[in-house]
Amino acid sequence: MEKRDDNITAMCRPAVGEAGKTGDWRDMKPVIDQSKCIPAIKNRAACLLCWLYCPDGVVIPTIPVGIDLEYCKGCGICAEECPAKAITMVHEGAKNE
Ligand code: SF4
Ligand code: SF4
């Protein structure tokens, strides 16, 4: 039987959004709850699925994980893919940043 490699890696490096700055027109924005985020809890580069799946490459894979909101388009893919449910999409202007 063929041996499978279950490690998932990015095929290319994400880059800042090609549509330019999105902060002016975005309706929703992602907010990370660091108390649920795996890298923050483990204090090491783990998970990072939000970084892997973000189509605009604006997730910053640091500890704690960050998001460049100047270029994030608010699509919500990161929140959908986060296994720890650490990302919530909130309306722009909401106070819980
Ligand atoms: S996908 Fe969720 S748990 Fe994983 S690094 Fe991103 S915010 Fe943290
Ligand atoms: S909302 Fe979309 S563009 Fe913004 S960080 Fe999440 S996946 Fe990336």
Side-chain angles (χ1 to χ4, degrees):
M1 178 181 283
E2 184 181 340
K3 187 175 183 310
R4 279 185 50 206
D5 184 353
D6 290 329
N7 292 325
I8 300 172
T9 56
M11 294 300 289
C12 60
R13 240 179 144 65
V16 170
E18 292 185 4
K21 292 187 178 181
T22 54
D24 291 345
W25 52 262
R26 186 184 52 234
D27 285 336
M28 305 285 286
K29 65 183 176 185
V31 175
I32 300 176
D33 181 346
Q34 300 293 345
S35 70
K36 295 180 181 176
C37 179
I38 294 167
I41 293 170
K42 294 184 180 283
N43 195 30
R44 64 183 171 84
C47 182
L48 297 174
L49 288 178
C50 50
W51 168 78
L52 184 65
Y53 280 102
C54 175
D56 278 342
V58 298
V59 174
I60 305 162
T62 51
I63 302 172
V65 173
I67 295 174
D68 185 346
L69 291 174
E70 286 204 334
Y71 294 98
C72 163
K73 62 185 176 187
C75 65
I77 292 174
C78 54
E80 197 65 36
E81 297 297 335
C82 174
K85 303 293 179 212
I87 303 178
T88 305
M89 298 303 292
V90 301
H91 284 284
E92 284 291 342
K95 289 181 181 166
N96 57 333
E97 292 186 29

